[in-house]
Amino acid sequence: MAIVFHKESRCFHLYNNEVSYIIRIMENEQLEQLYYGKKIHDREDFTYLHEECMRSQMSVCVPEPGILSMQYTKQEFPTYGTGDYRSPALTIVQENGSRIVNFTYASHEIYNGKKDILPLPATYVENEDEAQTLEVTLHDAVMDTDLILSYTIYEDYPVITRNAKISHKGSEKIVLDKIMSASVEYNDMDYEMVHLSGGWARERYVKTRRLEMGIQSIQSLNGTCSGAEQNPFLALKRPHTTENQGEVYGFSLVYSGNHLGQVEVSTFDMTRVMMGINPEGFSWELTQGESFQTPEVVMVYSDQGLNKMSQTYHRIYRKRLMHGTWRDQVRPILLNNWEATYFDFNEEKILNIAKKAKEAGVELFVLDDGWFGARNDDYRGLGDWYVNLEKLPSGISGLSRKVEELGLKFGLWVELEMVNKDSDLYRAHPDWIISAPERFESHARHQFVLDFSKKEVVDYIYEMVAKVIRESSISYIKWDMNRYMSEPYSKGTDPSQQGKVMHKYILGVYDLYTRLTTEFPEILFESCASGGARFDPAMLYFAPQTWTSDDTDASERTKIQYGTSYVYPIVSMGSHVSAVPNHQLYRTTPIETRANVAYFGTFGYELDLNLLSDAEMASVKKQIAFMKEYRELLQVDGDFYRLLNPFEGNETAWMVVSQDKTQAVAALYQRLNKVNASWLRLKLEGLDPDAKYQVSCDLTPSSSFDTELAKRYGYDTVGNQVKTYEAYGDELMRAGIPVDRQDLNKKGGDFASLLYTIKKVD
C-alpha cells in the first residue's frame, strides 16, 4: 500500500496490491483523474495519459496557445461555468449571484491512518498501518474558500474512500447549492449500470441497464431515510462481467438521507459518476469560519466479478464500519411478537409466547409496537414513551425481568422520530412536527415526522426513552421509522436556514443513535424503516443489523436478500421465519424453506409458536439447533457467494464458505415445481479445489408434506433422512451437485428448498 506524490510530474498515485488510482495537477492548477482500475506499476510520470486536442465549440481554460478544455478532461471534482457543460460536483452561489468558481491546488498531506468525519458515520481503522490518506487542499482566491478532497486507500481491501469538505474563510457569505462526495470519470461508456430498486415489501431488486449518452441516475428525496425505492449504491460493470469474472466498480454512500447517484455519458463517450447528498431541497449557507463536510463514498474495484465486489463490501462493512460490542458477535435467535399479536396483547399473552419460545431454544424475546401510551392502534400514542399499565401492569421494568427469569433476554420496539397528533407529546408541542406554514400537513400511517433538526426535540426524546431503558433489563432495541418527510420546513427556523433542514434532520438521528449507543453499549440495536427503507451503510455504523423487509414470505425474500447482498453482509440482514399463510402475500411455503432463507441473515421467528403443530414445533427446534451450530460460519467467519439468480430463473442458490475453506453451507430454492423437468446441477464456489469434502443434505420430508401422499409415492416420513457423499472441491465447483427433483417434491414441491452442509474430510 502506498500513496506517492511525484513532484516533477505532479502526479499522485494511490495503490495497493489490487487497485490503482492516479490523479495529477494540471496546468490550470486543477485536478485531473488519469486512471482508476487494476493495480499498475508505479512510475515517475503518468502525464502521457492526459489526452487533448482542438475540437469545434470547445472552450479553452488556459491562455493561448494552450488547448486545455474542461469539457473533454476527466476532472477530479468538476464545477460548472468555465467550459465544462456536463453536470458539476459542486455549485456555490456567491453574494454577487455568481456561481463561477475556480478551485486550484494549494497543498496536500499524506499520512497513515484515517480521520473520522463525525458527526457523520464512516469507515475507520483500528491502527494507522491499515490505510493511508491523501488530503488535497484546493483554494478559490476570489471567495477565499478551501475545498479539501480526502482519499483513503486500505492495505487489505481494493477500497478507496472519498469525501469532500468546504471551509469558508472569506468575509462574504456563500451558499452551497450542491456538493457531491465524489466524482469519478472513465474514458469510455462500455458499461452496464447496476442498482438496487424497489418499494415496500420488494426492496433492493437488482436492476441492470446499458449506459447510453445522457444521464442515468438513482435518488432519494424521502427526507427521513435513504428509502426503499433506490438504495444509495450503484455499480458500473463491463457487459461481459458475471458473478465470478470481469471488471466492476462499486459506489456506496455512507448516508441515510436524500441522496443522488448519477452517471452521465457525454457525446464523446466519456462517463462521469457522481454520488452524494441530493441537491434538490438542499441549500447550505456558510459565513466566515464555517465549514461543511460531505458523507463518505466507499468505492470498491473488482476484476473478479460481482461476487468479489460484494465480498469486499461485506468484509469492510463488517470489520471497519460496524463497531462496538456486537461487531464480531453472533446474533441471538429471537422471537418477535408483532405478527403473533399485533396490538392485541397483555402481559399474560406475552409471557405465554415467551415461554414457548424458550422451550424451542429461542434466546431473545422482542416486544413490538403497542406497549406505550394509549397505543391500541396506529392512530394514537406514538411519541408518548411511557408504558401502558393497563396492558402491562408490571411495566416494561417488570415484564423484562419476568422474561429474563424464563431464561430469555428481552428486547423492545420503538419509533422515536414520529408522533401521532392524538398524543400527549403533540398536544404539548404542536410546533415540533415538520410542516410548512399555511399548508396542508400530509399524513402517512396516521403519523407525522418530529423535527429532529432541532436539538430540543432530540433531547426530549432521548430522555424519555433512556428512562425506560435505565429502569428495565433490555438487551435489544428495534428502532423503527415508518414514514417519509413531506412539506420539509422547520417552524421557528430562519428562512435562510430552511435548506439545511433535511440534512440536519439526519444529523439529529445520528446524534440520538450516538447518545443511546454510548450510554447503552451492550444493547444490540436493529434499524427498521417500514421494513427495509433505511438499509444503508450509515445505519450499520450504529445498528449492526437492519430489518431487511416487512415481506417475510420466503420466496420473495430470496430476491430481497439476494439484492441486498450486493453491498451488505448477511449478518446485517434481519430475517425471520413467519406464520403462513404469509401476512403480506397470503402464500403458504414449507416451514423448512422459511428457515432455509432466514439462516442467511440474523435468524429469528415472527409468530406464536403455541399455534404450531407438533411436527412444526419439532422442525423449529431442529432449525434453532442448526443455526446455533452454524451461525459463527454464517454470520462472522464466512464469505457469501451468489450461485443462481432469482431474477433470471426459477431457482435461487447461494452459499457461505469459511475463510479456511474447511466448511460451507449452501442452499437451493425453487419457486414453482416442474413436472418431467430437465436435470439440475448446483455448482458451488469458493472451495479448495484439491480438498475432499463430505456433502450432506437432510431429505426428511417437509413437516407440511401430506403423509398419505408420501406413502403413495413411496416416501419414508419417519426419522431423519440425511444423504451424504464425498467429492473434491473441483468436482463440486465444476461438475456440481446433481439435484434430484424428487427430493424437491419431498420438501414440498412449490417453494421447496434443499440445504447442504459441506465439510472438509482428511
Side-chain angles (χ1 to χ4, degrees):
M1 172 191 66
I3 298 179
V4 179
F5 178 59
H6 297 291
K7 189 173 181 180
E8 295 300 318
S9 63
R10 307 180 85 192
C11 291
F12 297 94
H13 186 188
L14 296 76
Y15 64 94
N16 59 24
N17 289 331
E18 297 186 75
V19 64
S20 283
Y21 193 96
I22 303 171
I23 57 181
R24 73 154 184 145
I25 305 165
M26 296 184 288
E27 59 186 293
N28 69 346
E29 300 298 313
Q30 294 183 17
L31 295 184
E32 177 184 21
Q33 183 187 104
L34 294 177
Y35 176 79
Y36 175 33
K38 188 174 177 65
K39 187 245 180 164
I40 59 178
H41 287 287
D42 187 43
R43 57 180 290 172
E44 180 62 34
D45 190 352
F46 288 100
T47 57
Y48 75 94
L49 294 173
H50 171 78
E51 297 166 292
E52 64 179 40
C53 68
M54 181 61 71
R55 298 181 186 274
S56 176
Q57 297 179 320
M58 66 185 265
S59 299
V60 177
C61 64
V62 293
E64 295 186 277
I67 57 170
L68 180 64
S69 172
M70 294 296 95
Q71 177 71 3
Y72 308 106
T73 299
K74 290 166 38 182
Q75 298 175 66
E76 193 58 23
F77 210 76
T79 59
Y80 176 78
T82 56
D84 184 0
Y85 304 104
R86 297 167 290 169
S87 299
L90 175 67
T91 303
I92 300 178
V93 183
Q94 296 136 70
E95 281 204 340
N96 65 1
S98 172
R99 286 173 164 79
I100 308 305
V101 299
N102 183 28
F103 283 99
T104 58
Y105 173 81
S107 64
H108 73 271
E109 180 184 6
I110 298 171
Y111 56 87
N112 289 338
K114 185 178 190 290
K115 296 177 183 176
D116 64 53
I117 55 172
L118 294 173
L120 290 166
T123 56
Y124 59 88
V125 297
E126 289 191 339
N127 65 73
E128 291 187 347
D129 294 335
E130 292 179 23
Q132 276 193 314
T133 298
L134 165 67
E135 289 185 0
V136 181
T137 299
L138 308 172
H139 185 71
D140 184 291
V142 173
M143 296 185 300
D144 194 11
T145 302
D146 287 340
L147 168 62
I148 302 100
L149 302 181
S150 294
Y151 308 76
T152 296
I153 184 167
Y154 279 82
E155 170 76 22
D156 297 328
Y157 306 101
V159 168
I160 296 171
T161 69
R162 298 273 307 271
N163 69 77
K165 181 179 181 180
I166 286 285
S167 181
H168 184 47
K169 302 174 181 178
S171 58
E172 295 185 351
K173 71 179 182 183
I174 60 174
V175 178
L176 299 179
D177 268 358
K178 178 182 185 181
I179 179 166
M180 296 285 99
S181 295
S183 177
V184 177
E185 301 207 39
Y186 301 87
N187 285 326
D188 66 281
M189 59 178 285
D190 188 25
Y191 292 98
E192 292 176 335
M193 174 179 162
V194 182
H195 56 103
L196 306 175
S197 300
W200 177 81
R202 50 179 176 83
E203 298 90 343
R204 290 171 301 286
Y205 279 22
V206 180
K207 304 294 180 182
T208 303
R209 66 177 80 177
R210 186 70 183 257
L211 290 191
E212 190 47 87
M213 292 177 184
I215 292 175
Q216 298 99 144
S217 65
I218 57 168
Q219 69 168 1
S220 165
L221 285 171
N222 304 322
T224 54
C225 60
S226 47
E229 291 74 20
Q230 306 289 348
N231 198 257
F233 160 82
L234 64 84
L236 294 188
K237 74 177 187 72
R238 294 298 185 181
H240 65 272
T241 295
T242 66
E243 287 287 0
N244 300 303
Q245 63 88 29
E247 280 196 318
V248 58
Y249 299 82
F251 300 86
S252 175
L253 182 67
V254 187
Y255 189 60
S256 308
N258 292 348
H259 59 82
L260 174 67
Q262 179 174 296
V263 181
E264 182 173 5
V265 179
S266 77
T267 53
F268 287 84
D269 295 355
M270 297 170 65
T271 299
R272 174 178 291 175
V273 180
M274 295 192 299
M275 184 170 274
I277 294 174
N278 198 319
E280 182 69 33
F282 173 86
S283 179
W284 200 277
E285 182 181 280
L286 292 176
T287 58
Q288 190 173 41
E290 292 183 328
S291 61
F292 181 83
Q293 173 68 56
T294 72
E296 177 176 86
V297 170
V298 179
M299 307 191 314
V300 169
Y301 170 76
S302 167
D303 65 340
Q304 298 172 47
L306 290 160
N307 257 321
K308 175 66 181 297
M309 176 199 71
S310 298
Q311 289 170 0
T312 300
Y313 276 121
H314 296 176
R315 290 171 184 169
I316 195 165
Y317 283 172
R318 200 166 57 190
K319 292 293 187 182
R320 291 298 178 263
L321 180 65
M322 299 178 185
H323 68 291
T325 304
W326 288 95
R327 187 189 73 179
D328 300 318
Q329 299 293 321
V330 297
R331 304 301 157 78
I333 296 170
L334 66 81
L335 184 141
N336 184 297
N337 75 295
W338 179 240
E339 290 191 9
T341 67
Y342 293 101
F343 294 107
D344 182 19
F345 62 82
N346 55 31
E347 185 174 286
E348 180 183 8
K349 183 182 286 189
I350 290 300
L351 290 175
N352 282 337
I353 294 172
K355 288 175 186 175
K356 194 68 172 178
K358 172 60 179 175
E359 178 189 325
V362 169
E363 299 162 317
L364 167 68
F365 175 82
V366 179
L367 179 62
D368 212 280
D369 196 357
W371 60 267
F372 52 90
R375 189 73 166 174
N376 293 313
D377 53 46
D378 56 9
Y379 286 84
R380 69 202 85 246
L382 199 58
D384 296 339
W385 299 109
Y386 47 83
V387 69
N388 183 331
L389 293 174
E390 292 183 9
K391 284 184 176 180
L392 305 173
S394 300
I396 294 300
S397 174
L399 177 62
S400 64
R401 288 174 174 83
K402 289 179 182 181
V403 169
E404 287 202 335
E405 287 170 4
L406 296 174
L408 296 164
K409 295 296 185 181
F410 181 79
L412 196 64
W413 177 97
V414 294
E415 187 176 1
L416 302 177
E417 301 156 62
M418 304 294 156
V419 65
N420 294 125
K421 286 193 174 181
D422 187 358
S423 67
D424 293 341
L425 174 57
Y426 179 79
R427 285 184 282 270
H429 300 283
D431 58 327
W432 277 10
I433 66 170
I434 298 260
S435 62
E438 302 181 31
R439 303 293 182 185
F440 180 77
E441 294 169 346
S442 299
H443 49 88
R445 293 174 57 116
H446 324 296
Q447 62 192 51
F448 298 82
V449 181
L450 287 170
D451 189 353
F452 267 39
S453 73
K454 294 179 177 178
K455 184 177 182 299
E456 62 268 28
V457 178
V458 177
D459 291 345
Y460 182 90
I461 296 297
Y462 168 69
E463 289 300 333
M464 286 193 78
V465 73
K467 182 176 185 294
V468 174
I469 300 172
R470 292 177 194 129
E471 294 173 349
S472 308
S473 185
I474 296 174
S475 301
Y476 163 102
I477 287 179
K478 181 180 180 180
W479 181 330
D480 208 344
M481 190 288 298
N482 281 306
R483 69 155 290 182
Y484 296 161
M485 186 186 299
S486 57
E487 297 83 46
Y489 187 92
S490 177
K491 294 173 182 174
T493 298
D494 188 88
S496 67
Q497 304 298 305
Q498 292 296 332
K500 298 182 177 182
V501 170
M502 285 187 279
H503 181 58
K504 288 181 69 176
Y505 176 93
I506 296 300
L507 295 180
V509 173
Y510 295 159
D511 179 33
L512 185 54
Y513 256 116
T514 298
R515 294 196 222 179
L516 290 173
T517 55
T518 299
E519 182 174 354
F520 309 106
E522 301 302 317
I523 290 179
L524 172 60
F525 281 80
E526 178 170 305
S527 172
C528 177
S530 286
R534 201 184 248 172
F535 211 129
D536 60 69
M539 281 293 104
L540 296 186
Y541 180 86
F542 302 103
Q545 59 192 56
T546 300
W547 184 228
T548 312
S549 177
D550 282 342
D551 189 345
T552 54
D553 174 75
S555 183
E556 287 302 307
R557 269 300 187 104
T558 61
K559 294 180 182 178
I560 295 167
Q561 291 176 212
Y562 188 96
T564 304
S565 76
Y566 269 58
V567 194
Y568 304 102
I570 63 173
V571 71
S572 69
M573 298 185 204
S575 51
H576 296 172
V577 177
S578 63
V580 293
N582 176 263
H583 289 200
Q584 292 78 46
L585 288 174
Y586 306 102
R587 177 185 286 152
T588 296
T589 57
I591 195 168
E592 290 82 4
T593 294
R594 285 173 267 158
N596 288 348
V597 174
Y599 289 144
F600 294 85
T602 58
F603 194 74
Y605 292 85
E606 190 99 7
L607 44 74
D608 185 349
L609 295 175
N610 291 291
L611 303 180
L612 299 187
S613 68
D614 290 344
E616 289 173 324
M617 192 64 183
S619 292
V620 167
K621 291 179 180 179
K622 189 175 177 181
Q623 291 162 8
I624 291 173
F626 175 88
M627 191 62 186
K628 287 179 179 178
E629 180 179 356
Y630 287 98
R631 61 183 164 183
E632 183 80 25
L633 165 65
L634 292 167
Q635 296 179 346
V636 177
D637 176 64
D639 285 326
F640 183 79
Y641 291 84
R642 293 180 294 271
L643 304 177
L644 293 174
N645 188 337
F647 299 100
E648 295 178 354
N650 189 59
E651 289 81 30
T652 305
W654 51 47
M655 67 184 295
V656 174
V657 184
S658 64
Q659 294 286 312
D660 62 7
K661 301 185 183 298
T662 60
Q663 61 175 337
V665 176
L668 170 71
Y669 315 90
Q670 76 171 1
R671 193 163 297 121
L672 298 181
N673 208 8
K674 294 182 178 181
V675 64
N676 194 26
S678 57
W679 307 119
L680 177 62
R681 292 283 181 94
L682 177 61
K683 295 181 179 180
L684 306 185
E685 292 290 343
L687 301 176
D688 180 348
D690 299 317
K692 183 180 284 187
Y693 293 91
Q694 183 185 76
V695 180
S696 300
C697 184
D698 187 346
L699 298 179
T700 306
S702 168
S703 58
S704 59
F705 196 70
D706 185 282
T707 304
E708 292 303 315
L709 189 64
K711 291 178 180 177
R712 184 186 308 170
Y713 287 98
Y715 296 150
D716 182 3
T717 60
V718 179
N720 292 334
Q721 301 168 37
V722 179
K723 178 180 179 180
T724 64
Y725 74 100
E726 292 184 357
Y728 283 95
D730 56 358
E731 296 176 65
L732 296 171
M733 292 188 290
R734 303 296 167 253
I737 299 173
V739 177
D740 188 337
R741 297 280 187 178
Q742 295 302 319
D743 293 338
L744 289 167
N745 288 339
K746 289 184 192 178
K747 290 297 185 179
D750 287 349
F751 313 112
S753 62
L754 298 173
L755 188 71
Y756 299 89
T757 57
I758 301 101
K759 294 184 179 181
K760 186 177 178 181
V761 295
D762 295 332

